[in-house]
Amino acid sequence: MEVGLQRTFVGDEIAPVRVKEFLDEADEFSLLMMRYNCAIREVRTKLEVLNDELSVIGQHNPIEAIKSRVKKSESIADKLLRRGKPLTVESIETNLNDVAGVRVICSFMDDIYQVARMLAVQDDITVLEVKDYIKHPKTNGYRSYHMIVEIPVFFSDVKRSMRVEIQIRTIAMDFWSTLEHQVRYKKAIPNTEFIVGRLKECSDTIAKTDREMMEIRNYIQGS
């Protein structure tokens, strides 16, 4: 049985491609998605432990919220097709780093780097890639700290190293990103360029406010 209909570019033509059963129903695909969900639980537990510890030794909870998700099968297929990669379970593990995603929402900018450092030094976490879009924001104003990590997950008969993308940002950065995402994927928005320009201005304002809020907090704590 085949399920779903995806599209991929062949030269200048758009050709229909059947997405095979593994995307929704094959045992191997379901097993892989279960493993990604387990990897997310491992990362969430580590973050919750760090937050609890810091609330005791530092009198401050750096993490306001933790959100997580595993990519939907359609999104996985679409990304593989756009990259010209085969639609196989092996290809997912080899070519995609963001199937499992964890988003960490912090109060202040320095909390972001503190949480990232504390994760990176744990001996069972391997940091594969870091992209600092706070110090080097995207042209549209997007700011966030991204880490691709590999973490061991123990199952009944095997230990598997699973990759997880971790995004760490402030509350304001997350609010901005949510709105920008709506603009990017909503069709038929009038004056799109005007909206994009205003979002960029908002991003700059948010960055300035984040820095000032951190300075105010530091002043209060030091007084």
Side-chain angles (χ1 to χ4, degrees):
M1 183 179 71
E2 293 182 340
V3 295
L5 182 65
Q6 299 290 329
R7 297 190 302 172
T8 187
F9 289 94
V10 180
D12 294 328
E13 301 277 333
I14 298 179
V17 176
R18 289 287 181 180
V19 179
K20 294 187 181 295
E21 181 182 10
F22 83 91
L23 287 176
D24 287 314
E25 306 205 357
D27 290 342
E28 288 186 15
F29 180 77
S30 297
L31 180 61
L32 180 60
M33 294 302 103
M34 180 273 293
R35 287 171 173 165
Y36 278 123
N37 271 303
C38 292
I40 284 173
R41 288 205 295 272
E42 294 280 351
V43 171
R44 288 185 66 110
T45 298
K46 286 180 174 294
L47 290 164
E48 288 163 0
V49 169
L50 287 176
N51 202 41
D52 288 348
E53 179 191 7
L54 291 172
S55 70
V56 173
I57 66 175
Q59 306 297 315
H60 168 57
N61 290 83
I63 299 174
E64 289 289 336
I66 303 172
K67 305 174 184 178
S68 59
R69 64 99 182 99
V70 172
K71 269 188 182 295
K72 294 181 180 179
S73 59
E74 294 84 357
S75 297
I76 292 172
D78 182 63
K79 195 162 190 176
L80 287 174
L81 291 171
R82 283 189 281 109
R83 293 184 175 186
K85 303 299 183 181
L87 294 175
T88 65
V89 169
E90 181 182 1
S91 179
I92 294 171
E93 290 193 272
T94 301
N95 297 302
L96 300 183
N97 290 328
D98 62 346
V99 175
V102 175
R103 184 177 302 162
V104 185
I105 314 301
C106 295
S107 302
F108 299 97
M109 282 200 300
D110 55 355
D111 292 333
I112 293 171
Y113 294 100
Q114 182 181 25
V115 170
R117 283 193 302 269
M118 295 183 78
L119 276 177
V121 298
Q122 297 197 14
D123 59 12
D124 58 344
I125 284 184
T126 302
V127 180
L128 301 178
E129 183 180 328
V130 169
K131 291 183 179 179
D132 190 343
Y133 294 116
I134 298 172
K135 292 180 179 177
H136 307 284
K138 293 185 178 182
T139 55
N140 67 346
Y142 175 83
R143 287 175 166 85
S144 186
Y145 189 90
H146 290 201
M147 303 171 70
I148 303 296
V149 305
E150 201 166 63
I151 184 169
V153 184
F154 292 83
F155 299 100
S156 61
D157 59 347
V158 68
K159 178 180 77 171
R160 294 290 296 263
S161 292
M162 306 298 299
R163 277 176 282 176
V164 180
E165 181 188 53
I166 304 172
Q167 299 178 358
I168 316 175
R169 58 183 64 156
T170 64
I171 299 168
M173 291 175 192
D174 189 55
F175 177 62
W176 182 94
S177 180
T178 300
L179 184 58
E180 191 274 339
H181 185 272
Q182 292 177 18
V183 172
R184 187 154 28 104
Y185 289 98
K186 186 176 176 63
K187 297 179 180 178
I189 297 179
N191 300 321
T192 302
E193 291 184 5
F194 173 71
I195 297 297
V196 169
R198 289 197 64 181
L199 277 170
K200 176 61 171 65
E201 292 176 5
C202 287
S203 173
D204 296 338
T205 301
I206 284 170
K208 182 175 183 292
T209 302
D210 270 337
R211 287 191 296 269
E212 290 180 348
M213 293 292 286
M214 186 173 63
E215 290 171 4
I216 293 169
R217 183 213 55 190
N218 291 343
Y219 178 81
I220 293 171
Q221 290 180 344
S223 61

